[in-house]
Every structure is written in C-alpha cells, then in structure tokens.
Amino acid sequence: GPRAVAADASEPTVSEPAAAEPSSSKQVPVGDVWEIDFCSRPMLDERGKKVWELLICDPERKFEYSEYFANSKINSAELKRAIGKLLSMPGAVK
C-alpha cells in the first residue's frame, strides 16, 4: 500500500496513491452481492490533494478489497477497472 509520511500530526501525506495496488485482500469475490464505497481518507498525495480509498466487500465481510486513488482518479472508468481486476482474480465468481 501507500507509504504515509507525516507532514504534521493532523495531515499525513501519501506518496504515489495512484499506484493502484490493493492495500488488502481477503479471498476473492465469490458472492452475488457486493458493497462498494469510495471514502475520503485523512491523507494528502504529493500534490496536496485528498486521497480516496475504494472499499469493496460482501455483506458478511468474508471478502474485502481496498485500493487507494488520487483525487483525479475518482470516476466510473477507474471503478470499472478495479472491478474488472477483481473479477479477473483466479477463483473469482462472475
């Protein structure tokens, strides 16, 4: 995941949040229902812009996925790319 660097106690910064590697993964998606949310995180990227986290899980949280995004990457194309990456994982149920 991204490396946080403390600028001061209230606003840590993040280097390269757009690297888009999952920060955590618990199994692969196998259920029919997912919960998806983009959350603003208390971090700033190298440009001083907010970092966002995509969270995807099933209702029982047997499956969890998290990925960080730069503010400029919060859009439907990036969401589609992240979901496509999940569905291409070995063992994922489509």
Side-chain angles (χ1 to χ4, degrees), residues 52-64:
W52 292 75
E53 183 177 19
L54 172 64
L55 300 170
I56 303 175
C57 65
D58 65 4
E60 295 81 29
R61 296 196 74 151
K62 293 177 186 171
F63 157 70
E64 294 178 354

Side-chain angles (χ1 to χ4, degrees), residues 45-81:
D45 66 12
E46 66 280 352
R47 300 169 301 136
K49 302 290 184 182
K50 254 184 203 185
V51 174
W52 292 75
E53 183 177 19
L54 172 64
L55 300 170
I56 303 175
C57 65
D58 65 4
E60 295 81 29
R61 296 196 74 151
K62 293 177 186 171
F63 157 70
E64 294 178 354
Y65 176 86
S66 173
E67 184 176 334
Y68 289 97
F69 288 83
N71 192 45
S72 61
K73 299 286 185 181
I74 304 302
N75 57 55
S76 60
E78 288 296 320
L79 179 60
K80 181 179 178 180
R81 182 202 53 76

Side-chain angles (χ1 to χ4, degrees), residues 14-63:
V14 172
S15 63
E16 298 301 321
E21 284 303 313
S23 63
S24 69
S25 183
K26 221 200 279 189
Q27 297 185 332
V28 295
V30 294
D32 293 335
V33 177
W34 293 0
E35 297 176 4
I36 300 175
D37 195 9
F38 269 117
C39 307
S40 171
R41 305 305 296 161
M43 299 180 285
L44 301 176
D45 66 12
E46 66 280 352
R47 300 169 301 136
K49 302 290 184 182
K50 254 184 203 185
V51 174
W52 292 75
E53 183 177 19
L54 172 64
L55 300 170
I56 303 175
C57 65
D58 65 4
E60 295 81 29
R61 296 196 74 151
K62 293 177 186 171
F63 157 70

